[in-house]
Amino acid sequence: MVAESWLCLGGTELANNSRTVAYARNGAGPRGVAVYDLYPGLPALLGDAPYTTPAGDDAAWYDPAIPASAGFGGLYITNISGMDSAPYSRPVVDRTGDGVVLGRPRYGGRSVQVTGILMGRSCCSTMYGLSWLAAALRAGCADGPACEGDSLQYLAAMPSALDSPGTTTPWRTLQNVGLTDGVTITNKLGGASACGNCGGCPMMEIQFTLTAAPWAYWDPTTILTQAPWTSDDLPQACITWVHSTGPCSSSGDDCPSTDPMPLYDPQCPPSTAIPDLPIIADDCACLPLSRRRKVISVPAADVPVWLDAVPVMELFSGDTSLRNVRIRFFQNPLNRTDPDDIGECAWCSEVNISYVPASSSLGFDGARQQVVVTLPGGGVQSAAPVVSGPSGGPLSWPTMTCGTPYLVSIEAETSSVDPAAWVSLDIVTREV
C-alpha cells in the first residue's frame, strides 16, 4: 500500500504531510484545527532538517514578492488511488468450436487520483496555494504540446522498525507522468470568512488526476560509472568474397532443372502478386571491419527474479565523433567473461547507434524509453534518428530478468573511439 504522505513531480515537492503539519502548527494553517503527522520519521528519511516555516525553509511555493505565500502550509494528502498496480488486460476470442483464443496481453497506463486538503493561515494564502499547485502540476508541459511528461516520485511504504538493514528502498518513480484532470475543489472544511478576516478561513479539499506509464521504477543500481573504453580491438574477421556467375542461361549448367515459375492457365492470366511489405531500416547502421569492444558484467544479484530491469546508459564520445556503436545484452548463467564464448547469435537485445557527436554525451534511458544527446554547449536534442534495433530495424527496448547475470557488449568503430571516451551503466528494476 502506498504511503500517502509525499509526492514529488519533476523535482518539485507537491505534497509532504510532515511539512504541512509542522507549518500548520507554526501558524501557516487555520486556527483551532488539530492536525496529526502519521509519519514523523519522514523528514529524516528525506534528509531534511526539522521544518519551521515556509519562509524559513524556503518551501517550494514560497515567493518573497508575494506575502500570502508565507501563510500557505501546503497540501496534506488524505488518499491516493490507482498507484498500487497498472491495469492489465488480455482479449479473449471464442473459437468456432470449443474453447477460446487468448490475445496479446498489455498493460495500460496508471491513472493516479490524489485527494488532499490545502491549508493556509488566511483565505488569500489558501487561494495562492491553489494557484501554485495548479501551476506545479502543469510544469511538465512548459515546453509545448509535444512534451512526454515528467517523473513522479513517491513512497511505496514507510520503513518500519522491523525492517532489516539492506531492505529494499521504499522509493518508487513513475515515468511519462502528466496531468489529465486538473485541480478541482470538492469540499470546504471549517469556518468561512472574507479574505483578511481574523475569524478563520475554510480549508479546501481538492483532487486531481495524473496519468503515467505502466511501470513503477526502483532506485537505480550503479554497475559502472564513466569507465574508460580501454578494451583491446577485436580481430578482423575473415571475409569470403562470393562472385556472381551472372544471369543463368537456358543451356547453362547452373540453371535449375525445372522451370522456377509456377504453372498458369494460358487462358486465365495470374492475379497480381501481393507486394512485399517494406522493411524500415537505417542504412547508417553497419558493422565496421575494425571495432573495439567494451564488456560489462551485470551480477545476478542486481537482476530481479520475478520482476524485470531496464538499462540506463550514458556514452561520452571524447574529442572525436563516436560511430557505429552496437550494444548487445547476453544472458550469462555460466559467468563467462567473453561474449564470443556465449555465442555470436545468443544475444537477447541489440541496440545500434550510428553517431555520437564529438564532446557529446548520449543518454540511453530504458526507464523513460528516451534517447537524448547533450551537446558541448549544454543543448539537449533527441537522438532517436541515430538509434535503431538489429540490422538497422526498429528499436525494441532491452529488459533483463530471471535473476541471471548478464554481459553487456559495447562495440564501436576502432578509429572513432577516443582515449577520453567513457561509458556508464545503471540498472533500474521495475514493477507493474
Side-chain angles (χ1 to χ4, degrees):
M1 180 177 178
V2 174
E4 298 166 343
S5 57
W6 183 81
L7 288 177
C8 182
L9 178 66
T12 299
E13 187 181 77
L14 295 179
N16 180 330
N17 284 8
S18 295
R19 183 187 297 274
T20 299
V21 168
Y23 291 167
R25 290 173 177 174
N26 291 337
R31 292 179 175 85
V33 176
V35 288
Y36 301 95
D37 187 359
L38 300 179
Y39 302 105
L42 182 57
L45 187 64
L46 295 170
D48 293 345
Y51 302 127
T52 57
T53 64
D57 297 339
D58 194 19
W61 60 82
Y62 175 66
D63 184 348
I66 303 178
S69 66
F72 175 57
L75 169 64
Y76 185 93
I77 298 174
T78 57
N79 184 64
I80 299 177
S81 62
M83 197 175 281
D84 292 313
S85 62
Y88 176 90
S89 63
R90 190 171 189 176
V92 177
V93 179
D94 288 330
R95 295 179 182 269
T96 54
D98 296 331
V100 297
V101 176
L102 295 176
R104 182 177 180 179
R106 69 179 299 273
Y107 289 100
R110 299 190 188 213
S111 182
V112 180
Q113 187 175 75
V114 180
T115 303
I117 299 173
L118 297 176
M119 296 186 182
R121 181 169 53 214
S122 66
C123 291
C124 293
S125 294
T126 306
M127 289 303 298
Y128 169 83
L130 179 66
S131 298
W132 167 81
L133 179 62
L137 288 168
R138 294 193 306 265
C141 287
D143 295 331
C147 64
E148 297 182 359
D150 268 318
S151 60
L152 178 70
Q153 290 180 293
Y154 64 98
L155 282 165
M158 284 295 295
S160 69
L162 300 177
D163 293 330
S164 59
T167 299
T168 301
T169 172
W171 308 107
R172 296 292 185 270
T173 302
L174 299 179
Q175 299 288 3
N176 305 113
V177 181
L179 181 69
T180 51
D181 192 0
V183 180
T184 303
I185 300 174
T186 58
N187 197 8
K188 292 184 178 181
L189 311 172
S193 67
C195 183
N197 191 325
C198 295
C201 183
M203 298 178 290
M204 293 182 185
E205 184 180 54
I206 58 95
Q207 69 178 23
F208 56 87
T209 302
L210 301 167
T211 300
W215 304 282
Y217 294 93
W218 298 14
D219 285 349
T221 299
T222 299
I223 305 298
L224 205 65
T225 302
Q226 296 189 4
W229 206 312
T230 56
S231 299
D232 296 332
D233 295 342
L234 296 175
Q236 293 189 15
C238 296
I239 300 176
T240 302
W241 298 101
V242 178
H243 299 280
S244 172
T245 57
C248 181
S249 63
S250 59
S251 59
D253 295 337
D254 295 331
C255 287
S257 57
T258 59
D259 190 346
M261 296 296 294
L263 180 66
Y264 291 103
D265 184 346
Q267 296 182 1
C268 184
S271 59
T272 303
I274 299 176
D276 294 333
L277 293 175
I279 298 176
I280 302 174
D282 183 1
D283 294 335
C284 293
C286 60
L287 182 62
L289 295 179
S290 177
R291 59 195 194 278
R292 182 167 295 179
R293 174 186 286 170
K294 178 75 177 179
V295 178
I296 305 173
S297 296
V298 179
D302 295 326
V303 180
V305 177
W306 289 103
L307 307 178
D308 60 18
V310 295
V312 176
M313 305 186 68
E314 186 175 5
L315 300 175
F316 179 69
S317 59
D319 296 332
T320 61
S321 299
L322 187 61
R323 294 186 177 275
N324 295 321
V325 180
R326 184 178 71 181
I327 306 172
R328 283 180 168 177
F329 296 80
F330 297 81
Q331 274 194 321
N332 187 26
L334 299 180
N335 288 306
R336 307 288 192 186
T337 58
D338 189 342
D340 292 339
D341 294 335
I342 300 176
E344 182 180 358
C345 300
W347 47 270
C348 305
S349 302
E350 178 179 300
V351 179
N352 290 286
I353 303 169
S354 60
Y355 170 66
V356 182
S359 303
S360 300
S361 175
L362 183 140
F364 181 90
D365 192 335
R368 295 185 65 89
Q369 295 194 347
Q370 184 181 72
V371 187
V372 298
V373 61
T374 303
L375 302 172
V380 178
Q381 294 180 348
S382 171
V386 300
V387 180
S388 60
S391 303
L395 172 66
S396 179
W397 294 93
T399 58
M400 289 173 277
T401 188
C402 295
T404 60
Y406 275 74
L407 281 186
V408 181
S409 170
I410 310 173
E411 300 176 3
E413 187 175 326
T414 300
S415 60
S416 72
V417 180
D418 188 79
W422 51 258
V423 58
S424 294
L425 172 64
D426 288 350
I427 299 299
V428 185
T429 298
R430 67 182 188 183
E431 60 191 19
V432 289

